[in-house]
């Protein structure tokens, strides 16, 4: 009976957190400026470019040349930072706001250890994670096991947040898709740099919540085996925005009234149900179960919460079913509480995922 009550408490905490943070009148809802496209053809063409079909998913990562600057160092570790132009296609690059076109990265690495004897994991941001610090704290204890941490600042967040955007509330539906595309391209380029230029023998990708969705996509698309570690992540953006708590903080009226929305050309008034179905259709293109199975599914470990108010259990299990050989681990808690209570479980998943990879042979 106690465990049941605790489970309900974790679930209710997620709802309270969402209400306080998102459902008050203090901030704007998601997508307050509408769809972001001038007509259905433009929106669908952009979405199809962002998430191509499976037959065209194996494009090689773009080569980047990061110039690292040391921020601090101790006897055992060093923190470096760099920036580089996001390696998106030209048309999509121009669709990004100017503030989001330059990637920023922090790199926490053990000292006096050759790269070929180390692993490195790229950490992606969850919704609302505007700084490096939370993910650096998650990765820092892994330095003792010769695991470096690389943290990517998301487009639309932190220093990359558009000037008109308040907090984490993306202004347009297209912003969510552009954020995903840029994050995927930047992450794949960073993994390629770690493997081909820096000489790391094992690499991985992880993320919490929204970052976990992007981590799963990167793991699916990367041309070499990487440890893929989605934490508290759904299988698709449909889950939080159309079925979960974020549906209560989405600007449905703005989407309905958006003059550029293609459904407005239809005879008669556009209904709310039509708008919701259109959003579901657009966001279904982020369904990770439609992506290829990662090169080494045994190195895929999902960590999910037993009483997650944002992500239902069935969403996590759909991804595991789509990727035979992957593993799901459950932590007791909700979406919010697990962020704070289960860092050790996330770190253990990182270590175990990397241990399931073979060491890459150094180039002669």
């Amino acid at each position: 009976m106690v465990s049941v009550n605790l489970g309900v408490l974790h679930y209710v905490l997620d709802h309270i957190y969402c209400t306080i943070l998102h459902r008050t009148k203090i901030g704007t809802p998601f997508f307050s400026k509408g769809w972001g496209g001038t007509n259905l053809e433009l929106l669908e063409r952009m979405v199809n470019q962002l998430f191509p079909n499976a037959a065209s998913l194996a494009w090689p990562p773009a080569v980047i040349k990061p110039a690292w600057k040391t921020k601090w160092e101790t006897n055992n570790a060093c923190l470096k930072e760099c920036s580089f132009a996001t390696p998106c296609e030209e048309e999509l690059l121009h669709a990004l706001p100017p503030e989001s076109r330059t990637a920023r990265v922090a790199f926490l690495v053990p000292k006096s250890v050759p790269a070929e004897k180390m692993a490195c994991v790229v950490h992606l941001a969850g919704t609302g994670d505007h700084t490096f610090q939370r993910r650096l704290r998650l990765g820092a204890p892994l330095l003792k096991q010769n695991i470096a941490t690389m943290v990517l600042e998301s487009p639309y967040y932190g220093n990359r947040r558009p000037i008109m955007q308040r907090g984490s509330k993306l202004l347009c539906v297209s912003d969510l898709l552009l954020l995903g595309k840029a994050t995927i391209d930047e992450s794949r380029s960073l993994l390629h740099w770690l493997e081909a230029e820096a000489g790391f023998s094992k690499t991985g990708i992880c993320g919490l919540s929204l970052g976990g969705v992007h981590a799963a996509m990167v793991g699916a698309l990367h041309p070499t085996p990487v440890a893929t570690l989605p934490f508290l992540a759904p299988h698709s953006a449909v889950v939080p925005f159309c079925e979960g708590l974020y549906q209560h903080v989405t600007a449905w009226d703005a989407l309905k009234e958006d003059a550029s929305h293609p459904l407005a050309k239809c005879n008669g008034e556009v209904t709310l149900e039509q708008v919701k179905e259109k959003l579901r259709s657009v966001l279904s293109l982020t369904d990770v179960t439609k992506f290829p199975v990662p090169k080494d599914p045994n190195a895929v470990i999902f960590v999910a919460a037993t009483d997650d108010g944002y992500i239902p259990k069935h969403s996590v299990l759909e991804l595991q079913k789509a990727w035979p050989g992957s593993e799901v681990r459950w932590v007791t808690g909700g979406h919010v509480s697990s962020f704070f209570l289960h860092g050790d479980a996330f770190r253990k998943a990182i270590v175990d995922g990397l241990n399931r990879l073979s060491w890459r042979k150094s180039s002669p």
Side-chain angles (χ1 to χ4, degrees), residues 38-334:
T38 56
N39 53 54
L40 178 61
E41 291 76 21
L42 173 62
L43 181 59
E44 289 186 333
R45 179 169 62 86
M46 184 186 70
V47 170
N48 287 327
Q49 286 177 326
L50 298 175
F51 300 101
N53 59 44
S56 61
L57 284 174
W59 74 94
V63 175
I64 57 173
K65 299 291 184 181
W68 298 101
K69 295 181 179 179
T70 299
K71 303 299 289 185
W72 56 255
E73 58 183 323
T74 66
N75 292 333
N76 301 314
C78 178
L79 179 68
K80 306 174 184 179
E81 292 184 6
C82 82
S83 60
F84 60 90
T86 189
C88 287
E89 300 92 335
E90 194 71 18
E91 184 177 11
L92 297 177
L93 181 64
H94 289 303
L96 283 168
E99 299 92 338
S100 294
R101 296 174 189 172
T102 300
R104 293 181 64 247
V105 184
F107 189 22
L108 182 63
V109 62
K111 289 181 68 176
S112 305
V113 182
E116 63 270 16
K117 294 185 179 180
M118 282 195 292
C120 184
V121 175
V122 178
H123 292 237
L124 303 182
T127 301
D129 190 353
H130 288 267
T131 72
F132 296 140
Q133 297 310 312
R134 182 187 299 171
R135 286 168 284 162
L136 287 174
R137 286 196 298 270
L138 178 63
L142 299 174
L143 290 171
K144 296 178 180 178
Q145 300 184 59
N146 292 336
I147 298 173
T149 292
M150 183 174 280
V151 178
L152 173 65
E153 183 180 65
S154 282
Y156 295 89
Y157 284 5
N159 290 307
R160 306 179 70 182
R161 185 178 67 187
I163 191 170
M164 297 300 293
Q165 178 183 307
R166 295 187 63 183
S168 306
K169 302 296 180 55
L170 301 175
L171 296 175
C172 300
V173 174
S174 58
D175 291 343
L176 181 64
L177 302 171
L178 285 163
L179 185 159
K181 171 59 174 172
T183 298
I184 291 168
D185 285 352
E186 291 165 7
S187 300
R188 294 179 73 236
S189 292
L190 288 169
L191 287 170
H192 178 75
W193 179 85
L194 286 166
E195 296 163 0
E197 300 296 328
F200 280 78
S201 293
K202 293 184 180 184
T203 55
I205 185 84
C206 76
L208 289 157
S209 194
L210 174 66
V213 178
H214 295 148
M217 292 176 174
V218 173
L221 299 178
H222 199 62
T224 62
V226 294
T228 303
L229 308 151
F231 302 147
L232 311 177
H235 73 284
S236 164
V238 168
V239 175
F241 283 101
C242 299
E243 301 170 6
L245 292 177
Y246 281 171
Q247 67 180 311
H248 302 299
V249 288
T250 293
W252 297 110
D253 288 342
L255 293 176
K256 182 180 176 182
E257 295 171 6
D258 184 359
S260 67
H261 188 277
L263 292 177
K265 295 182 179 180
C266 300
N267 293 328
E269 183 182 356
V270 177
T271 68
L272 181 59
E273 287 307 311
Q274 284 178 302
V275 172
K276 289 185 174 182
E277 186 55 36
K278 181 57 192 175
L279 184 64
R280 178 180 290 273
S281 175
V282 171
L283 296 186
S284 69
L285 292 163
T286 68
D287 187 343
V288 187
T289 65
K290 299 176 182 178
F291 281 56
V293 177
K295 298 296 186 293
D296 188 350
N298 292 316
V300 177
I301 301 176
F302 303 101
V303 180
T306 54
D307 301 285
D308 195 322
Y310 288 78
I311 313 301
K313 293 180 180 179
H314 75 81
S315 182
V316 181
L317 296 175
E318 283 187 41
L319 252 179
Q320 183 195 30
K321 182 179 179 181
W323 291 355
S326 62
E327 178 187 354
V328 175
R329 297 180 180 180
W330 298 96
V331 294
T332 301

